[in-house]
Amino acid sequence: MPPIRLWSIEDFQIDPSRPLYEQFVEQIRAMIARGELEPGTRLPSVRETAASLRVNPTTVMKTYQELERLELIVTFRGQGTFVTQAEEAIRQTRMQLAKEAVRRLEETARSIGLSLEELWELSREKE
Amino acid sequence: MPPIRLWSIEDFQIDPSRPLYEQFVEQIRAMIARGELEPGTRLPSVRETAASLRVNPTTVMKTYQELERLELIVTFRGQGTFVTQAEEAIRQTRMQLAKEAVRRLEETARSIGLSLEELWELSREKE
Amino acid sequence: MPPIRLWSIEDFQIDPSRPLYEQFVEQIRAMIARGELEPGTRLPSVRETAASLRVNPTTVMKTYQELERLELIVTFRGQGTFVTQAEEAIRQTRMQLAKEAVRRLEETARSIGLSLEELWELSREKE
Amino acid sequence: MPPIRLWSIEDFQIDPSRPLYEQFVEQIRAMIARGELEPGTRLPSVRETAASLRVNPTTVMKTYQELERLELIVTFRGQGTFVTQAEEAIRQTRMQLAKEAVRRLEETARSIGLSLEELWELSREKE
DNA sequence: GTGGTCTAGACCACA
DNA sequence: GTGGTCTAGACCACG
């Protein structure tokens, strides 16, 4: 059973100034959170992924380990790595991402002394 | 002409896993953006700040130089460092911070396949 | 993948009364602007450069970071530092240097009350 | 015999990142070179100038000393400081400034691998 | 007194 | 291996 398809480096938006594995984690997590990678889907192996993304295998390994720690993927030895079947974990992730995003927005508003409404208005001004 | 007052390390919330100078820049920028540090105010000297924050002078200098590149402070040789008189630059900074914060929120919503309203609702659910 | 070749201190013309890093920036920028360092070329590592130029690694790092802010080089974490592939940025730099040089010439002419033609004539007189 | 008039800081264009005295020297030298300050004119005293420009007296002193070294002004003890009567010195200065400006232009052209004509063309392109 | 540069050397995360 | 941050301490020009 092959994985849906190999990744290409163009599937990711990379900022060279930030850790690669961190950006892979974020973007694969988003793929799972929005349902683009469905539960049970088999992911390409570490070796395959490293080759297709042209990155160091240890970078992919760190990515997968972190996603595993987040309980978004599971590895079955000898069988491969799969998106978790636990939809609850995916639901939780979506909520965490939402809460975190709003928390950051509120933190920014607080730091410049604005209410959320004022921040919103300001962000909509031109120039 | 002394600066308003020396900083204490308690004036800053420091995450030891991130670069010190980066956090100083962010938090001083916020002080200026919300008007806590008024235009024309003299900042404590590099040496004073280093002593009061218990960090190395070069760390403070890197902080000040970054704030200067952001055009939020100005250095007059031999006289010290001052919050810019150009209130326009401060206004711009507030707007940039607001726009950036909202952009990140929209980016998060997009990445998990939600509208801004849906993201907001989700962030307000309990658990 | 080694860089083209190490630098020697003889590759640079150093005026000891001016900041080292500033002169390195100017001269490496010129190498890129005139195509001597081609897009994609890997620069010698910070440590190698520091050793071959007999300067401190932090001096080289400051040089590279400044060139990075100018968008003339890009750093890939753990991989090294490379001349940007964005030839547009290089073209822009050439134009900026040209415009700036002419602007300075016009400024000098203005400051001594001459037209560009008169300045040119004057500079060609002997003694 | 009063000097023509006191200077105000608005008579000068100041870049805070460069030495003050250096900029005063350049700009007063230009005033003399273009004839705005005529030979024999009496300059305001160091003390007066420091007060009217709101700078440190030692800065003005250093400025005058440098202009004296350039033989553009002369000080008669107890009488004051005057623009030199030696028109030859002024002529020389104009020529030095012109030669130096052209030398810098040629140096820039050389550093980016262009002829003077090509540099000129490039500086005239838009964007 | 001020900031700016440079050195020497340590430690860290990342690939 | 790579660059990035931080410390400690020296020296300098400027005002």
Side-chain angles (χ1 to χ4, degrees), chain A residues 7-13 53:
Chain A
W7 277 307
S8 148
I9 191 67
E10 277 91 29
D11 295 327
F12 297 86
Q13 293 186 351
L53 292 181

Side-chain angles (χ1 to χ4, degrees), chain B residues 16-84:
Chain B
S17 74
R18 291 179 51 212
L20 278 176
Y21 82 93
E22 200 177 293
Q23 302 179 65
F24 290 143
V25 167
E26 287 172 4
Q27 295 181 38
I28 296 175
R29 181 181 53 180
M31 291 178 201
I32 297 174
R34 68 173 175 266
E36 184 178 320
L37 284 178
E38 296 181 7
T41 304
R42 176 164 168 229
L43 300 182
S45 80
V46 169
R47 286 162 172 74
E48 282 173 333
T49 305
S52 67
L53 294 182
R54 317 272 186 119
V55 298
N56 193 282
T58 58
T59 302
V60 178
M61 181 149 335
K62 203 169 176 183
T63 301
Y64 280 16
Q65 285 179 341
E66 179 66 14
L67 286 166
E68 189 152 18
R69 282 208 303 105
L70 294 172
E71 300 183 10
L72 289 173
I73 68 177
V74 187
T75 295
F76 291 92
R77 306 183 68 132
Q79 310 244 59
T81 304
F82 301 80
V83 177
T84 181

Side-chain angles (χ1 to χ4, degrees), chain B residues 53-121:
Chain B
L53 294 182
R54 317 272 186 119
V55 298
N56 193 282
T58 58
T59 302
V60 178
M61 181 149 335
K62 203 169 176 183
T63 301
Y64 280 16
Q65 285 179 341
E66 179 66 14
L67 286 166
E68 189 152 18
R69 282 208 303 105
L70 294 172
E71 300 183 10
L72 289 173
I73 68 177
V74 187
T75 295
F76 291 92
R77 306 183 68 132
Q79 310 244 59
T81 304
F82 301 80
V83 177
T84 181
Q85 301 274 10
E87 312 224 12
E88 173 62 13
I90 297 175
R91 201 184 63 77
Q92 286 271 355
T93 297
R94 292 164 60 87
M95 192 177 302
Q96 279 167 18
L97 288 172
K99 282 183 191 296
E100 173 63 13
V102 169
R103 197 199 60 71
R104 277 202 311 257
L105 191 77
E106 289 172 335
E107 166 63 18
T108 299
R110 192 199 57 70
S111 80
I112 58 179
L114 296 182
S115 69
L116 270 189
E117 290 71 25
E118 290 166 328
L119 181 94
W120 181 260
E121 296 299 328

